[in-house]
Amino acid sequence: MATQTTGPTLIGSVQRALRLLEAVASHPDGAPAKQLARETGLPLPTTYHLLRTLTHEGYLLRDKGAFHLGEAAARLAGGGAVQNRRTKIEDSLAHWRDEIGVPVYFALYREGEIELVAVADTPNSPAVEEWADFRETGHAHAIGQCLLSQLDLKTRQDHLDRHPVEAITPYTVRNQRILLERLGGLGRMEPLVEHQEYALGTVCAAIPITAGSTAATLAISLPLHQAERLLPAVERLRTEIGSLFSSLAFSISI
């Protein structure tokens, strides 16, 4: 007996709703229900029912008899744009990882916390393992110190009040006063370097990037036995910051 091959089970109401969303999206100034019914080939009662449902859920907005895309639909579109930006960031980091031969990190300071956006590494040159919460230990790693150095005094102090300076290795900065002296002594675009302050056997360096009011950083790491490579590598990254920033600047709002 021959085996009958069946296709996927499709839900007609979902298909019809998506057709309506596509039709509304094709009208920047909105369109009335009757026009949308004609364009989609749907019965008018079905069109009204689906339009009411989509409006209730926030995917559509009705204004003076015309239907427009709502906030929920915009969030769907925005999610795709965010993913596209993130992919571009990862591609840029991967390029410089391969060019310089070190793991490359991109991080932001957003909504009062340190956020590691993307990392590019390889099995032979792995990134530093997050063994202690990255957000709570910003005082101990180059990324966090670099981001803190870009904050205004009030915001920086607020962060340190919430995440106090604590030694997590024998090399971690000992107290807040020493940390603030270090941060205050940095020059513009000067890389921040730390040796084994976050992870034993690892050295790191970070370069500040500021776009408007957002603090960001690019960073690299190396095992301790390759410490002599750290400064040349971060200097090369710093000299290329212009071309990197052109691909990263748009992602500050990611």
Side-chain angles (χ1 to χ4, degrees), residues 24-35:
V24 173
S26 69
H27 295 282
D29 298 324
K34 290 183 179 180
Q35 181 179 354

Side-chain angles (χ1 to χ4, degrees), residues 22-55:
E22 291 176 349
V24 173
S26 69
H27 295 282
D29 298 324
K34 290 183 179 180
Q35 181 179 354
L36 294 170
R38 289 195 303 271
E39 293 179 359
T40 57
L42 298 175
L44 188 57
T46 300
T47 300
Y48 275 122
H49 176 70
L50 289 172
L51 289 174
R52 282 196 298 270
T53 301
L54 290 168
T55 300

